[in-house]
Amino acid sequence: MEWNTKQTIHVTNGMKNQLSLIEEYLEKQAYFTNESINKSRVITILVEVFYELFVENNSRTQFQNRLNELKKIKPKDNEKLLRDIGQIRQMQDIQALITLANYQNLVQQNDYDPRKKLRSFNYGDSKEINVLMNRILQILKEDVVQAKQIKDTNQKKKK
């Protein structure tokens, strides 16, 4: 099928109503505040979104299967997923700091045995482990603040 720059399409009354509702929805979105939303822009957005959701990233998935996948996604699912990802990142950071601390300790003290110094991590009542975990979390917070400061400084330099 060949497409011209200007194309006439058949739109039923139901589709006209849906397009008007989509246009109203898009006009309310902060993402589009700096641009004029008209019928042509609505169609452009629809094509871009459809392409991204169905063709570009999932070209091998059947249309109905992909549509069903997207319908299953609920906002609370995304929130839970983001929380889980945040917790995983935090645990990875903790693990990296623990590994570095262990390496530093082992280099300095050849006879250091953490099993003799600390009670079971899984038991959870070890004062030493709690102090260590709190210190690690504090270091992570300080690292986040420092990273933000560096990012802000770099952004100011670019301006």
Side-chain angles (χ1 to χ4, degrees):
M1 175 191 308
E2 187 176 321
W3 288 85
N4 300 321
T5 305
K6 286 187 173 186
Q7 188 72 40
T8 303
I9 59 171
H10 175 73
V11 180
T12 65
N13 286 335
M15 288 173 64
K16 280 183 191 178
N17 186 42
Q18 289 174 329
L19 284 170
S20 294
L21 293 173
I22 292 169
E23 184 177 2
E24 289 173 23
Y25 172 82
L26 292 174
E27 286 173 346
K28 294 176 185 174
Q29 301 304 307
Y31 183 80
F32 299 104
T33 54
N34 294 334
E35 61 181 287
S36 171
I37 301 293
N38 55 32
K39 304 281 188 257
S40 180
R41 183 64 179 125
V42 169
I43 298 298
T44 301
I45 293 168
L46 290 174
V47 169
E48 290 170 351
V49 168
F50 185 92
Y51 180 82
E52 186 176 332
L53 294 177
F54 288 90
V55 179
E56 184 178 56
N57 294 324
N58 292 286
S59 61
R60 293 188 177 149
T61 304
Q62 295 284 329
F63 171 79
Q64 191 60 48
N65 294 343
R66 179 65 178 146
L67 185 60
N68 289 337
E69 286 174 5
L70 293 171
K71 285 180 178 180
K72 288 178 186 175
I73 299 172
K74 304 292 181 215
K76 65 179 180 182
D77 295 337
N78 290 340
E79 292 167 8
K80 183 185 180 309
L81 185 59
L82 289 174
R83 269 193 319 275
D84 290 349
I85 289 171
Q87 289 173 345
I88 290 169
R89 284 184 182 150
Q90 184 181 30
M91 291 306 296
Q92 287 175 328
D93 291 344
I94 290 170
Q95 187 174 9
L97 286 172
I98 290 171
T99 302
L100 290 171
N102 282 339
Y103 174 76
Q104 183 180 10
N105 235 350
L106 291 172
V107 167
Q108 292 174 357
Q109 302 174 6
N110 288 334
D111 64 338
Y112 178 77
D113 184 357
R115 291 174 294 179
K116 292 179 183 173
K117 297 277 186 184
L118 303 174
R119 293 184 59 168
S120 172
F121 177 78
N122 292 319
Y123 191 65
D125 73 340
S126 170
K127 181 180 176 185
E128 293 86 1
I129 288 179
N130 291 336
V131 169
L132 177 62
M133 292 301 289
N134 287 333
R135 179 64 185 128
I136 289 169
L137 291 172
Q138 182 62 36
I139 291 170
L140 290 174
K141 287 177 187 176
E142 291 168 3
D143 185 58
V144 169
V145 169
Q146 183 180 12
K148 185 177 183 324
Q149 289 172 345
I150 291 169
K151 181 180 175 184
D152 291 344
T153 303
N154 289 339
Q155 287 178 346
K156 287 178 185 176
K157 286 180 183 177
K158 289 179 183 179
K159 291 180 180 179

